[in-house]
Amino acid sequence: MCSQEDFQAQRSQLVALLVSGSLEGFESILDWLLSWDVLSWEDYEGLSLPGQPLSHSARRLLDTVCNKGAWGCQKLLEAIQEAQANSHTFELHECWDPHSLHPTRDLQNHRPAIVRRLYNHVDAVLELAREGGFLSQYECDEIRLPIFTSSQRARRLLDLATVKANGLAAFLLQHAKASPSSPCLPYEAAECQKFVSKLRTMVSAQSRFLSTYDGSENLCLEDIYTENLLELRTEVGVAGALQKSPATLGLEELFGTHGHLNKDADTVLVVGEAGSGKSTLLQRLHLLWATGQSFQDFLFVFPFSCRQLQCMTKPLSLRTLLFEHCCWPDICQNGIFQFLLDHPDRVLLTFDGLDEFKFRFTDRERHCSPVDPTSVQTLLFNLLQGNLLKNAGKVLTSRPDAVSALLRKFVRTECHLKGFSEEGIKMYLRKHHREPGVADRLIHLLQATSALHGLCHLPVFSWMVSRCHRELLLQSRGSPTTSTDMYLLILQHFLLHASPPDSYHLGLGPGLLQSRLSTLLRLGHLAVQGLAMSCYVFSAQQLQASQVDSDDISLGFLVRAQSVVPGSKAPLEFLHITFQCFFAAFYLAVSADTSAASLRHLFSCGRLGSSLLVRLLPNLCIQRSRIKKGSDTTLLQKAEPHNLQITAAFLAGLLSREHRDLLAACQISEKALLRRQACVRSCLAHSLREHFHSIPPAVPGEAKSMHAMPGFIWLIRSLYEMQEEQLAQEAVRRLDIGHLKLTFCRVGPAECAALAFVLRHLQRPVALQLDHNSVGDVGVEQLLPCLGVCTALYLRNNDISDRGAYTLTECALQCEQLRKLALFNNKLTDGCASSMAKLLVHKRNFLSLRLGNNHITAAGAQVLAQGLKSNSSLQSLGFWGNSVGDEGTQALAEAVGDHQRLKWLSLVGNNIGSEGARALALMLEKNKSLEELCLEENHVCDEGLYSLAEGLKRNSTLKILKLSNNGITYRGVEALLQALSRNSTVLEVWLRGNKFSLEEIQTLRSGDTRLML
């Protein structure tokens, strides 16, 4: 027998178990409890309210059963076992008298078996009951509502029989006895097995070869797939000082139990920048399922592409979407579809590329019928909300800017795909180049070229480096620096491969570009038309409209897309969305339709908060009367901003001085080209100044601060693409701020290069805050040119290792302005300690060092303590969340004892015991500057507090002592109170989370108001 105490101890596990399946499983448990009289009819009605979250119902059920005593708790466990057993077998106890004198009672006592008897015959039973006068037409229609599964309809019919006294219960008993038993899980049926086999074969065929980036060769995904950094998003600010960096997941952990933002939602959201590998990640997921390697909790996986879904113009139902647009069951379509509806927890739907879906997410139009047709956007949005196939697994990928706050309300877990780690880049290149020495030479080239190395953290750039490895290894001039440089390199690669062999040595010169200029312009026109209409899959008619012929297609930038219309010819798409943006930018840069006057008018009338279109593309700011209806400039007003950001940066890069000679060969006059270049340069500088002028005035007594607006990083990237020092200097000439905040701005190594390129021209020093980004060690290298203008650098949660810390500190030694450094929540170990100690020894004006939440032990603390002994300027030292222990604490305490400037020391969560506390007490007796000591989340206990109390008796500077969660009892605080009676300097002592009774807390509060309990 399960005791109520044991039952309550397992409550969280039971809740997780009850909500882990589908609503069908939960209702099956209620059937058993009702049949055993554990639940009264009133209990059952309260637990069966439609529309309430499953987690809410599960907790109410546990509360209800617990109130029934130990017997009720035991019966719930048995009901869970019965429901789980019934999902694998349909042998139920079916002994009841069809002519019972108490039919209502027998319906309840045999409810699980009767539900299964009526499962596949509800419509026929309803019709017979209506003809017999037991039910009205209205009651039949209510039970038949399409939002209910077959078993739910059977249950509602039984519920109605319980409250009707007209013979319906007796009729159902007799009919159920005469009906054949319906199997609970038709998965074992040959028809279902055949469909699963067909679905696996289809998904395997679609995912076995890499389909992203490359159309000219088949790359086996199994051979070349490289893991990306997949980071779990957590709510920032919820946890306290010990909040760790977001967890890094493996792909197989995508449906784990951690990091849930909304436990009642079904959708896992994976966000990442264009080219970060989202599509390839889903492709890998599909292959793992199809080959039986992982994700086997799902019997059915249905993959969809949002860019192809939006091509569906006719209304369609859920059944049509799954069967006609994914995989058609050859037999028993009705039975298989019903199984999907009854067991949604065994179904996984994946939707790739919400950012390429032209319809914006909304929850205004509700659609709950799985068989009634509706628009494709309504169908998709209701699937994501859970109005259709609730409890089915759903994975959605998107670029971050396309995800609205409204959509995030329906997200269970959000993961950020952050691209390759440095080891990932090496692994990727080694998988692609197995010839001796080639991969090593490429890796050496990247390590020697930090700008190119920074770009390669996005897989799309790693693919380009791999594809153009010969050009990179053989070229005599410098390696690519900007994104535009890399795309011009891949353009050269494709053009040369389509040219005679003797032209390969020429490179991307005017002659090569001129020879295929008409092709490039036609592809550019197609790209512009596609962006304008949010179209990324092109039909034969669209290709014809842009005059794209087979020769243009043979160049390799257009590849076959999977057809979304059964029986239709496969359409074409660009290798990647970034290639479509690049060709659109090329067209806008050299097309005769793009006048310099239009660009000038565009940039002069843009406002800071306006759409990106109003800033860079030559169509929005032209007077309506001057625009030809249907022209490219008119159409682009409807394009998606996140695609136009990429296009804009490419356009700036193409119009740079670096590529002037190249564009001069594109049938554009030198005069027109110079006008466009001048226009872009002046307008980019003007846009940045306008951005800076919008900064609100500083709060009196504080430095003027600016939190970057969404367009700021794009403007910086565009300036960087132009590679003009004078332009960058002009852009920030009048910037007057003391603190530049760029947290959660998706800053990676490439963005760091752009920031450094522009910010190094600041005339006034600035504190640069880059917390919660993806800077990494390579990004640190990119930031070095602007370190000289930084007074402080905050790099919390940026995947920085000891190598990055070494690089940073070596440069910081030469930067007189830099006085504060924050590197908490990174990947630092004891290996960084010597660098930090060197910084403390040689930098005499250094004020603050924060290294919390890393992996530093006592050995690292001892090294750092040696540097601290030679330092006389440091005011703040943050060491929380490491593992220095008593030994490391003793070393730090000895160093701090004689320090004359340190005011704040944090050693939270460092496994400090009584020995460490004793060392800190001796430090307090000697130190004459420390004002705040943070020791929460340790093991100080009473013995350590006795020592600290003695130290406080001889200290006259400490104002705040934090000792929460340290295993301290009332006895320890008694000693502390004695010390406080002799110390008037201390203002607060934090003691929350220790071992006090409520009575002791009241007594302590009245004893000294400085105790924070």
Side-chain angles (χ1 to χ4, degrees), residues 830 833 856-865 883-884 887-888:
D830 294 335
I856 302 172
T857 68
Q862 290 168 338
V863 173
L864 189 71
S883 305
V884 302
E887 190 177 353

Side-chain angles (χ1 to χ4, degrees), residues 343-367:
H343 300 276
D345 56 305
R346 312 305 300 275
V347 178
L348 173 64
L349 306 173
T350 65
F351 301 99
D352 186 28
L354 180 70
D355 51 284
E356 296 176 355
F357 197 61
K358 62 184 176 183
F359 305 101
R360 298 281 68 83
F361 178 82
T362 177
D363 61 353
R364 293 179 181 176
E365 188 171 347
R366 180 161 294 192
H367 183 81

Side-chain angles (χ1 to χ4, degrees), residues 715-866:
L715 287 170
I716 294 291
R717 282 294 301 267
S718 299
L719 279 170
Y720 179 69
E721 291 294 319
M722 296 204 80
Q723 286 291 296
E724 295 186 20
E725 297 281 352
Q726 186 177 354
L727 175 60
Q729 186 174 359
E730 172 64 19
V732 298
R733 182 165 53 89
R734 296 180 182 177
L735 177 60
D736 182 23
I737 57 171
H739 190 145
L740 177 57
K741 191 173 182 180
L742 292 164
T743 58
F744 294 102
C745 284
R746 307 190 293 276
V747 175
E751 288 73 24
C752 288
L755 281 169
F757 180 79
V758 176
L759 296 183
R760 62 182 171 178
H761 297 291
L762 287 172
Q763 296 181 351
R764 174 179 172 177
V766 65
L768 181 59
Q769 187 168 354
L770 290 167
D771 296 338
H772 302 284
N773 285 296
S774 306
V775 171
D777 294 342
V778 177
V780 168
E781 293 179 25
Q782 306 285 50
L783 286 173
L784 298 183
C786 73
L787 208 59
V789 299
C790 293
T791 59
L793 184 60
Y794 304 95
L795 290 167
R796 172 185 184 180
N797 188 26
N798 268 288
D799 299 316
I800 297 170
S801 73
D802 296 340
R803 183 167 70 86
Y806 172 80
T807 302
L808 186 60
T809 53
E810 287 298 308
C811 183
L813 290 172
Q814 314 302 321
C815 300
E816 181 67 23
Q817 305 279 7
L818 187 65
R819 298 181 180 183
K820 296 180 180 180
L821 184 60
L823 289 168
F824 51 102
N825 285 51
N826 280 292
K827 298 178 179 178
L828 305 182
T829 69
D830 294 335
C832 77
S834 58
S835 301
M836 298 301 162
K838 183 178 179 180
L839 186 71
L840 293 178
V841 171
H842 296 287
K843 197 160 176 55
R844 299 294 182 179
N845 63 346
F846 203 66
L847 300 179
S848 176
L849 180 62
R850 304 196 178 201
L851 302 172
N853 284 349
N854 280 291
H855 310 283
I856 302 172
T857 68
Q862 290 168 338
V863 173
L864 189 71
Q866 294 302 314

Side-chain angles (χ1 to χ4, degrees), residues 12-75:
S12 61
Q13 294 95 320
L14 288 171
V15 170
L17 182 62
L18 290 171
V19 303
S20 62
S22 64
L23 183 60
E24 164 66 26
F26 182 79
E27 290 185 344
S28 179
I29 293 170
L30 297 185
D31 290 343
W32 286 103
L33 294 176
L34 195 59
S35 70
W36 293 334
D37 289 325
V38 178
L39 297 179
S40 66
W41 184 251
E42 290 75 16
D43 292 333
Y44 171 77
E45 287 185 315
L47 292 164
S48 302
L49 294 174
Q52 64 183 356
L54 184 56
S55 58
H56 178 72
S57 300
R59 292 185 177 90
R60 286 196 60 185
L61 174 61
L62 294 182
D63 293 339
T64 302
V65 169
C66 193
N67 291 334
K68 308 286 183 178
W71 172 80
C73 297
Q74 181 64 35
K75 281 297 183 182

Side-chain angles (χ1 to χ4, degrees), residues 942-956:
D942 291 343
E943 186 178 351
L945 187 54
Y946 298 152
S947 300
L948 290 172
E950 290 300 314
L952 287 177
K953 291 177 182 179
R954 299 173 180 84
N955 182 277
S956 59

